[in-house]
Amino acid sequence: MKNFVVKTIANAGALAVAVWLLAKITLTGDSTGKKVGTLLLVALLFGLVNSIVKPIVKVLTFPLFILTLGLITLVVNALMLLLTSWLADKLDLSFHVDGFWTAVVGALIVSVVSWALDMFLPDGD
């Protein structure tokens, strides 16, 4: 349970950095508290998408992983970010990623920041 909370906080931090750096990834809200709450819900949703959908997509695109020497991972991560944006819209959360190339850059930012945060945050159950 502790590991799940830490991963969700790391995802929220990584998504916050992507929102801060990219104008086409938006998170709106009336107050800071509402934005933080929305960001935590989106991070939870992003974690669920990555744990449920991403493994299926990786299995289906395995030949492309071999062919591109793993570079397709960035595209898969971008698609997971776009799926999270779409689901957030369906759940009436104020998080939006505008376009595929924004998602690619956003996925790169989220991956790097998540990796860096995982290095410093405690890990364990």
Side-chain angles (χ1 to χ4, degrees):
M1 182 68 178
K2 188 177 184 182
N3 191 25
F4 174 75
V5 172
V6 169
K7 294 283 187 194
T8 302
I9 291 171
N11 276 340
L15 288 168
V17 171
V19 167
W20 179 59
L21 288 175
L22 299 174
K24 290 188 176 184
I25 298 179
T26 56
L27 176 73
T28 56
D30 300 335
S31 65
T32 303
K34 182 157 175 71
K35 286 182 183 180
V36 169
T38 301
L39 191 60
L40 287 172
L41 288 173
V42 170
L44 181 64
L45 186 61
F46 186 64
L48 288 172
V49 165
N50 278 331
S51 66
I52 296 170
V53 178
K54 191 174 180 178
I56 296 167
V57 172
K58 282 180 125 180
V59 167
L60 293 175
T61 59
F62 183 71
L64 289 175
F65 277 93
I66 303 245
L67 187 64
T68 63
L69 301 175
L71 290 177
I72 194 75
T73 304
L74 190 56
V75 173
V76 170
N77 289 344
L79 293 175
M80 296 305 109
L81 192 58
L82 283 172
L83 179 60
T84 301
S85 174
W86 180 79
L87 288 171
D89 183 50
K90 296 298 178 191
L91 295 173
D92 202 26
L93 297 171
S94 58
F95 176 78
H96 182 70
V97 178
D98 188 25
F100 175 75
W101 292 109
T102 302
V104 169
V105 176
L108 184 61
I109 291 169
V110 168
S111 295
V112 169
V113 172
S114 290
W115 171 78
L117 287 175
D118 283 340
M119 298 281 289
F120 294 105
L121 291 173
D123 190 23
D125 286 321

